[in-house]
């Protein structure tokens, strides 16, 4: 880029007819032209028109280096926005499922340690001022997922600019991380001995989204938003603490359960296939681990029917009932139970209810109708 162009020429009116030669030397360009006139008479000796050009160039590599750096930064930011949208979408799906369980009073999958997610989901800690906690989480995850997706497309709603959108996401993820930290404390103190896979997954997603959003601001800008984050976290703690201190504890809380052992009745009739499969599973040493209070365990037995269920090698993990501090039977602990029901067939672990056809496939059972 030329920053200075100076002309050295006669002060009077100059006309020109043609160029005689052109020369360039180190930023100085000379044009020597014939037929130059000073006023009405031609000049006996033409004077050159001297054009001094001083170029301030940024160098051949500067633009080419800055452009890839900008492109790489934009790609990284776009990838981060898509990752945030993906994690937010995963959290939205999880909390939608938990909201459905909460509103329909359904049981969730039974976790390790004897307590179920249903016990925690139905406790007084699953409601904030009368609003189901999973429903609040569903809204929060949905907001983060939608804003993350729109940031990746550079198309924010309501006329929001990008910095404002990122600030909203930071505030949302800060509140989610603060709430997760509070509930982890509740889980460890009020529900000792229980494990909730959904709670842990939600906490992992919340903290991941928080750190991803914090990364958008960089080290230099983080001190500017620390005050806002502390205010949001304090507000979350005060809100939750106020809600739970004003609510009455319910007797069905997992921390207060004292559940004697009881048996459940199987009402279905076994098919020939179910009877043959149960005999085969027993013969190869397949085991089904469960708990007497687990509805999924009962449903698995109902699939087999009364006659076939009696043939299964079923292991009860709480033969003496369940109460606070109760440990699982040693055989269940040794099997490293991941949830109820759990099958161990030829060294392969299957968690949750299984279709009879799947159990037949895994165990290598071939049903012969004629037999």
């Amino acid at each position: 880029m030329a920053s200075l162009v100076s002309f050295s020429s006669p002060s009077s009116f100059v006309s020109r007819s043609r160029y005689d030669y052109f020369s360039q030397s180190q930023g100085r360009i000379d044009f020597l032209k014939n037929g130059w006139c000073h006023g009405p008479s031609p000049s006996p000796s033409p004077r050159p028109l001297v054009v001094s050009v001083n170029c301030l160039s940024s160098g051949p590599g500067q633009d080419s280096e800055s452009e890839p750096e900008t492109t790489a930064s934009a790609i990284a930011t776009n990838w981060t926005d898509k990752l945030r949208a993906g994690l937010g979408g995963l959290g939205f799906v999880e909390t939608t499922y938990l909201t459905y369980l909460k509103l329909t009073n359904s049981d969730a999958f039974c976790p390790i340690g004897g307590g179920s997610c249903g016990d925690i989901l139905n406790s007084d800690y699953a409601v904030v001022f009368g609003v189901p906690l999973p429903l609040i989480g569903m809204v929060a995850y949905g907001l983060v997922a939608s804003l993350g997706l729109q940031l990746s497309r550079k198309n924010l709603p309501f006329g929001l600019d990008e910095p404002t959108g990122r600030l909203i996401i930071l505030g949302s993820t800060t509140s989610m991380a603060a709430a997760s930290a509070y509930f982890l404390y509740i889980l460890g103190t009020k529900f000792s001995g229980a494990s909730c896979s959904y709670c842990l997954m939600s906490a992992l997603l919340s903290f991941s989204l928080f750190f991803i959003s914090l990364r958008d601001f960089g080290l230099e800008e983080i001190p500017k938003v620390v005050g806002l984050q502390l205010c949001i976290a304090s507000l979350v703690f005060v809100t939750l603490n106020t809600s739970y201190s004003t609510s009455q504890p319910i007797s069905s809380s997992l921390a207060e359960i004292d559940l004697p052992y009881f048996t459940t009745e199987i009402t279905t009739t076994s098919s020939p296939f179910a009877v043959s499969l149960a005999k085969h599973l027993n013969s190869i040493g397949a085991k089904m681990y469960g708990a007497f209070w687990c509805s999924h365990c009962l449903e698995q037995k109902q699939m087999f029917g009364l006659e076939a269920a009696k043939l299964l090698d079923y292991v009860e993990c709480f033969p003496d009932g369940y109460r606070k501090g109760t440990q699982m039977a040693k055989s269940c602990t040794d099997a490293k139970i991941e949830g109820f029901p759990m099958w161990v067939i030829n060294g392969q672990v299957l968690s949750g209810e299984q279709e009879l056809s799947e159990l037949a496939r895994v165990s290598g059972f071939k049903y012969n109708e004629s037999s």
Side-chain angles (χ1 to χ4, degrees):
M1 178 187 296
S3 62
L4 176 63
V5 179
S6 61
F7 295 88
S8 175
S9 62
S11 59
S12 58
F13 178 80
V14 179
S15 64
R16 60 185 182 179
S17 60
R18 66 184 178 84
Y19 293 102
D20 277 345
Y21 70 87
F22 166 81
S23 66
Q24 177 179 355
S25 174
Q26 297 181 351
R28 179 183 179 91
I29 306 174
D30 298 337
F31 295 92
L32 182 59
K33 306 173 182 180
N34 272 339
W36 287 25
C37 298
H38 297 262
S41 60
S43 173
S45 59
R47 291 181 60 187
L49 174 63
V50 180
V51 182
S52 298
V53 181
N54 296 327
C55 298
L56 299 178
S57 173
S58 59
Q62 186 170 345
D63 290 340
S64 60
E65 290 175 0
S66 61
E67 184 175 350
E69 290 177 359
T70 303
T71 303
S73 176
I75 292 175
T77 301
N78 186 263
W79 181 86
T80 301
D81 291 332
K82 290 181 178 179
L83 175 62
R84 179 167 34 227
L87 293 178
L90 184 60
F92 179 79
V93 172
E94 180 202 18
T95 49
T96 300
Y97 170 66
L98 294 179
T99 300
Y100 167 78
L101 295 179
K102 180 66 177 176
L103 297 178
T104 58
N105 293 320
S106 303
D107 288 333
F109 182 76
C110 307
I112 306 173
S116 69
C117 281
D119 296 318
I120 298 175
L121 190 62
N122 293 323
S123 71
D124 53 330
Y125 293 102
V127 178
V128 179
F129 291 114
V131 180
L133 183 62
L135 181 59
I136 299 175
M138 185 176 70
V139 173
Y141 280 117
L143 175 64
V144 172
S146 60
L147 283 179
L149 186 61
Q150 289 165 333
L151 276 172
S152 67
R153 297 175 178 177
K154 309 300 180 186
N155 183 26
L156 288 171
F158 311 116
L160 296 175
D161 56 7
E162 185 173 336
T164 303
R166 297 193 183 280
L167 192 61
I168 293 175
I169 289 180
L170 179 63
S172 302
T173 55
T174 299
S175 63
M176 293 162 65
S180 294
Y182 185 92
F183 289 119
L184 287 177
Y185 167 77
I186 293 296
L187 187 64
T189 56
K190 304 296 184 181
F191 298 92
S192 58
S195 177
C196 177
S197 56
Y198 297 107
C199 305
L200 298 178
M201 179 180 178
S202 183
L204 177 61
L205 290 174
S206 297
F207 285 119
S208 299
L209 288 170
F210 169 70
F211 287 116
I212 291 173
S213 301
L214 197 62
R215 178 183 174 276
D216 289 342
F217 288 81
L219 294 177
E220 296 180 357
E221 298 184 19
I222 287 178
K224 301 178 183 178
V225 296
V226 166
L228 174 63
Q229 291 177 288
L230 290 176
C231 289
I232 292 175
S234 300
L235 181 61
V236 170
F237 288 139
V238 170
T239 301
L240 294 176
N241 191 61
T242 302
S243 174
Y244 298 143
S245 62
T246 56
S247 63
Q248 296 297 323
I250 58 177
S251 59
S252 61
S253 173
L254 181 62
E256 302 173 0
I257 282 181
D258 186 358
L259 192 61
Y261 176 80
F262 59 86
T263 58
T264 53
E265 182 182 358
I266 301 173
T267 58
T268 57
T269 303
S270 301
S271 66
F273 173 78
V275 173
S276 298
L277 175 60
K279 290 180 179 179
H280 171 74
L281 291 172
N282 192 304
S283 66
I284 64 173
K287 295 182 182 297
M288 173 187 169
Y289 295 86
F292 66 95
W293 39 257
C294 177
S295 60
H296 297 283
C297 301
L298 175 60
E299 291 171 4
Q300 182 74 88
K301 294 177 182 178
Q302 294 277 34
M303 289 184 188
F304 279 91
L306 179 60
E307 298 82 1
K310 293 179 180 179
L311 300 174
L312 295 175
D313 188 356
Y314 172 75
V315 180
E316 172 60 52
C317 292
F318 294 92
D320 299 323
Y322 177 81
R323 61 190 56 83
K324 183 178 179 181
T326 300
Q327 300 295 322
M328 287 190 295
K330 186 177 184 304
S331 57
C332 297
T333 304
D334 294 341
K336 299 179 180 179
I337 300 299
E338 297 177 354
F340 301 122
M342 190 181 90
W343 288 90
V344 178
I345 304 174
N346 295 330
Q348 184 174 349
V349 176
L350 303 175
S351 296
E353 297 174 42
Q354 304 295 324
E355 294 294 334
L356 299 188
S357 58
E358 177 65 11
L359 293 174
R361 185 191 66 81
V362 174
S363 64
F365 174 67
K366 303 295 183 181
Y367 179 61
N368 187 348
E369 212 171 293
S370 61
S371 62

